[in-house]
Amino acid sequence: MVIAVVGRGMIGSAAARHLAGSGEDVILIGPDEPARKSDHPGVFGSHYDEGRITRAMDASSFWSEVSRASIARYAEIESESGISFFTETGSLMVGRDDSAFVARAAAVRAAAGIAAEVLDDHALAARFPWFRFALGHTGFYEARGAGHISPRKLVEAQCAAAARHGARVVRDMVVAVEQHDAGVTIVTDRQHIRADQVLIAAGGFTNMLVFPALPLRIFARTVAYFEVDAEEAGRLAAMPTLIVRTPDGQDPYLLPPIRYPDGRIYLKLGGERADIVLPDAAAARDWFQSGGSPHVAAELEADIRARMPDLAIRSVHHQPCILTYTAADQPLIDRVSEHACVAVGGCGRGAKCSDELGRLAAQTVTGAPDPALGLAAAGVF
């Protein structure tokens, strides 16, 4: 059986590795990162970056479970591919003492036995002097098995490992998926590819290829990058990743100094106060080409200067990205026809756990999904 995986991003590349590793005949299809977003006419991926937070702690037991499963395989993926993508800086989650967020996170920590220290105001100030928190906050600190991954390098590693297991990697953009009695034809911008089954894992561009459209919500996001010099990066060498749940329900996230492909070192901050809905692929493409929101970038700069008042910033720039959500706040991993399955909906948390989501997607193509995880498929199709 020939299985085509459409979408060479974090979930699609993971699914291809798992499928090829189990002996399936796999074709992984998706274009490279565009050299310039501003005039790129095709699709975009969500992994064009060097920093995503990874951690076991979460206020949701589902997201914690799939994250822990993925983190446990990071070393395996790095070994299979020869590509390193995980940096163990530790991870800190903070919320108000009396919030439902802290109560849920504490319950997940206890149920799963996660090795995270619980820190009060005084401990937070002593352990993490770079940050400023208001009184009345609780922190959960994971020192081991947490930190950040490079999504670019993770995708590269998954693709390399899949290829080592025999998968064929096709660097085309898919423009249509045609289904017929004998299987599917994948129409790319260069060729037609026949397969028995197809897994569509195209992120925010999935509905270009699926009919009827899936009930997805695509949001525009802006992230800001704060350049620091090597001396400042050294001062922050022990800085963990940080997520803060604010009283109004927002959850800004901050990554420590990371060296980017341009040779410079940046802290990255994301999280904004308003949702901009992107109704279709054309709107998503326009958003990527726009460069993001200067207004949101200014808000993020104000946020980091308040959170880290001693930070010595050399320069600031911003970039656009998109998030794909489902109504259930869990991925849609399901069969949509006799020959087609989908895996979509990282819901802002999909990078760190993408390997497990890819494994579940691979399992859906070849057999029954894990019922214990309760993926958000029931009642959707």
Side-chain angles (χ1 to χ4, degrees), residues 27 35 37 50 64 75 79 112 114 144 150 203 210 296 300 310 347:
I27 308 171
K37 296 187 181 76
E50 293 301 319
S64 174
S79 177
I114 298 170
R144 296 286 179 263
S150 163
V210 176
V296 171
L300 293 172
D310 299 327
C347 304

Side-chain angles (χ1 to χ4, degrees), residues 130 226-239 256-258 265-267 304-305 308-314:
W130 318 282
F226 304 92
E227 183 190 3
V228 297
D229 61 21
E231 181 179 357
E232 182 71 340
R235 184 178 74 86
L236 302 172
M239 175 182 163
I258 298 172
I265 303 171
Y266 301 100
L267 284 75
I304 198 170
R305 291 188 184 279
M308 301 183 70
D310 299 327
L311 183 64
I313 300 172
R314 296 183 66 181

Side-chain angles (χ1 to χ4, degrees), residues 153-228:
K153 291 177 183 174
L154 174 55
V155 168
E156 183 184 355
Q158 296 280 28
C159 291
R164 287 189 62 182
H165 288 300
R168 289 168 282 169
V169 178
V170 177
R171 300 174 186 276
D172 292 359
M173 185 182 81
V174 175
V175 298
V177 175
E178 299 175 351
Q179 301 189 51
H180 42 79
D181 291 343
V184 294
T185 299
I186 313 301
V187 181
T188 82
D189 52 354
R190 299 179 185 178
Q191 59 185 306
H192 289 57
I193 300 171
R194 296 292 297 270
D196 299 295
Q197 292 283 327
V198 62
L199 170 66
I200 301 172
F205 292 85
T206 294
N207 277 337
M208 285 177 55
L209 307 173
V210 176
F211 182 83
L214 304 177
L216 304 175
R217 297 174 296 159
I218 315 299
F219 295 118
R221 289 289 187 265
T222 298
V223 292
Y225 297 85
F226 304 92
E227 183 190 3
V228 297

